[in-house]
Amino acid sequence: MDEEYEKIMEIIEMNRFRQRLGLLDYTACWEEPDRVKGLDLEATKKRVCDLIKAKGLKDKTIADKLGITPQAVNKWRHKGSFFVIENLYVLSGLLGVSVDKLLVPVAVKKWEVLIEKR
């Protein structure tokens, strides 16, 4: 519940310019992962592989950082097996993104909040 409140407050802060428009009601909308439904593992794997390719990282470099063999990295990148979830933290550091940016949710919740000005 605190996360939802903080998100609403953040959106309100971002939209402070609307105060200049007078006493109008408006709607704030955003999307966030539905954590109850889980992850889309194939889409997550594709996103990670795309980021690795864009960053130009080699299997050996990744393997050295993760403490695994280059063959293991090649296997999860090209042959359909999935890497160990614990390695996402290290991968996020190598790729320069947060772990949340690597994960692809199965579903997304859409929020719409009416903000009334009185």
mmCIF file of all heavy atoms in Angstrom, residues 47 51 97-104:
data_model
loop_
_atom_site.group_PDB
_atom_site.id
_atom_site.type_symbol
_atom_site.label_atom_id
_atom_site.label_comp_id
_atom_site.label_asym_id
_atom_site.label_seq_id
_atom_site.Cartn_x
_atom_site.Cartn_y
_atom_site.Cartn_z
ATOM 1 N N ARG A 47 15.280 -10.006 -23.441
ATOM 2 C CA ARG A 47 15.700 -8.653 -23.066
ATOM 3 C C ARG A 47 17.155 -8.656 -22.596
ATOM 4 O O ARG A 47 17.941 -7.804 -22.997
ATOM 5 C CB ARG A 47 14.801 -8.104 -21.968
ATOM 6 C CG ARG A 47 15.203 -6.695 -21.558
ATOM 7 C CD ARG A 47 14.291 -6.113 -20.514
ATOM 8 N NE ARG A 47 13.000 -5.775 -21.110
ATOM 9 C CZ ARG A 47 11.952 -5.374 -20.401
ATOM 10 N NH1 ARG A 47 12.033 -5.272 -19.096
ATOM 11 N NH2 ARG A 47 10.823 -5.072 -21.006
ATOM 12 N N LEU A 51 20.295 -6.783 -24.470
ATOM 13 C CA LEU A 51 21.152 -5.813 -23.773
ATOM 14 C C LEU A 51 22.622 -6.221 -23.829
ATOM 15 O O LEU A 51 23.506 -5.379 -23.997
ATOM 16 C CB LEU A 51 20.701 -5.647 -22.319
ATOM 17 C CG LEU A 51 19.398 -4.887 -22.120
ATOM 18 C CD1 LEU A 51 18.913 -5.013 -20.683
ATOM 19 C CD2 LEU A 51 19.557 -3.426 -22.501
ATOM 20 N N VAL A 97 22.028 -1.411 -15.807
ATOM 21 C CA VAL A 97 20.600 -1.181 -15.589
ATOM 22 C C VAL A 97 20.191 -1.829 -14.268
ATOM 23 O O VAL A 97 20.903 -2.681 -13.747
ATOM 24 C CB VAL A 97 19.730 -1.758 -16.735
ATOM 25 C CG1 VAL A 97 20.035 -1.075 -18.046
ATOM 26 C CG2 VAL A 97 19.905 -3.257 -16.867
ATOM 27 N N SER A 98 19.033 -1.452 -13.756
ATOM 28 C CA SER A 98 18.544 -2.082 -12.527
ATOM 29 C C SER A 98 17.996 -3.471 -12.853
ATOM 30 O O SER A 98 17.662 -3.768 -14.007
ATOM 31 C CB SER A 98 17.454 -1.230 -11.887
ATOM 32 O OG SER A 98 16.286 -1.275 -12.666
ATOM 33 N N VAL A 99 17.898 -4.305 -11.837
ATOM 34 C CA VAL A 99 17.342 -5.647 -12.028
ATOM 35 C C VAL A 99 15.914 -5.544 -12.556
ATOM 36 O O VAL A 99 15.519 -6.326 -13.423
ATOM 37 C CB VAL A 99 17.391 -6.458 -10.711
ATOM 38 C CG1 VAL A 99 16.669 -7.785 -10.856
ATOM 39 C CG2 VAL A 99 18.830 -6.697 -10.278
ATOM 40 N N ASP A 100 15.141 -4.583 -12.059
ATOM 41 C CA ASP A 100 13.764 -4.411 -12.537
ATOM 42 C C ASP A 100 13.695 -4.159 -14.039
ATOM 43 O O ASP A 100 12.733 -4.547 -14.694
ATOM 44 C CB ASP A 100 13.070 -3.264 -11.807
ATOM 45 C CG ASP A 100 12.594 -3.662 -10.416
ATOM 46 O OD1 ASP A 100 12.590 -4.881 -10.118
ATOM 47 O OD2 ASP A 100 12.231 -2.775 -9.641
ATOM 48 N N LYS A 101 14.701 -3.502 -14.591
ATOM 49 C CA LYS A 101 14.717 -3.234 -16.036
ATOM 50 C C LYS A 101 14.996 -4.503 -16.843
ATOM 51 O O LYS A 101 14.687 -4.566 -18.027
ATOM 52 C CB LYS A 101 15.774 -2.177 -16.381
ATOM 53 C CG LYS A 101 15.504 -0.835 -15.771
ATOM 54 C CD LYS A 101 14.318 -0.168 -16.417
ATOM 55 C CE LYS A 101 14.145 1.216 -15.816
ATOM 56 N NZ LYS A 101 12.827 1.739 -15.987
ATOM 57 N N LEU A 102 15.584 -5.517 -16.200
ATOM 58 C CA LEU A 102 15.854 -6.775 -16.894
ATOM 59 C C LEU A 102 14.627 -7.681 -16.929
ATOM 60 O O LEU A 102 14.460 -8.460 -17.856
ATOM 61 C CB LEU A 102 17.002 -7.530 -16.206
ATOM 62 C CG LEU A 102 18.374 -6.869 -16.204
ATOM 63 C CD1 LEU A 102 19.360 -7.729 -15.427
ATOM 64 C CD2 LEU A 102 18.873 -6.627 -17.609
ATOM 65 N N LEU A 103 13.785 -7.584 -15.916
ATOM 66 C CA LEU A 103 12.655 -8.495 -15.771
ATOM 67 C C LEU A 103 11.461 -8.043 -16.606
ATOM 68 O O LEU A 103 11.142 -6.866 -16.665
ATOM 69 C CB LEU A 103 12.246 -8.576 -14.302
ATOM 70 C CG LEU A 103 13.346 -9.008 -13.337
ATOM 71 C CD1 LEU A 103 12.837 -8.930 -11.906
ATOM 72 C CD2 LEU A 103 13.850 -10.394 -13.660
ATOM 73 N N VAL A 104 10.798 -9.018 -17.227
ATOM 74 C CA VAL A 104 9.596 -8.746 -18.011
ATOM 75 C C VAL A 104 8.423 -9.457 -17.331
ATOM 76 O O VAL A 104 8.408 -10.678 -17.248
ATOM 77 C CB VAL A 104 9.738 -9.252 -19.468
ATOM 78 C CG1 VAL A 104 8.463 -8.993 -20.249
ATOM 79 C CG2 VAL A 104 10.941 -8.630 -20.136
#
